[in-house]
Amino acid sequence: MPLIEVSIARGRTPEQLRSLIAELHRAAETAVGAVPYNTTVIVREIEHEHWSRGNQTIAERNAASVAQQASSK
């Protein structure tokens, strides 16, 4: 009875999320012989302002990248 929990930054299409779920189910079947009916996948989408690495949020990194691209034009 695998329970697979994934946190991912918000912004994927429904099709991309569905593909991720399908691949996680397949991985559980292949790796541990899990029965699809007994496998649960939870995908948590995190806002860019709530996800930080190196004391910088994704939103801050994205804004800095846009500013850098604008200044190099």
Side-chain angles (χ1 to χ4, degrees):
M1 253 196 206
L3 168 61
I4 303 167
E5 295 184 65
V6 175
S7 295
I8 191 168
R10 188 172 301 283
R12 297 340 190 268
T13 66
E15 294 79 15
Q16 288 173 316
L17 294 173
R18 187 66 194 97
S19 178
L20 174 62
I21 290 166
E23 291 298 326
L24 292 169
H25 270 272
R26 271 193 281 283
E29 290 175 52
T30 301
V32 296
V35 177
Y37 178 79
N38 291 329
T39 301
T40 300
V41 174
I42 299 170
V43 177
R44 288 182 170 75
E45 290 186 282
I46 310 299
E47 297 295 336
H48 290 195
E49 296 81 8
H50 300 167
W51 190 303
S52 164
R53 180 178 36 173
N55 198 28
Q56 186 177 41
T57 66
I58 293 172
E60 292 166 339
R61 264 197 331 271
N62 290 345
S65 177
V66 168
Q68 182 181 20
Q69 289 173 0
S71 69
S72 67
K73 288 184 180 181

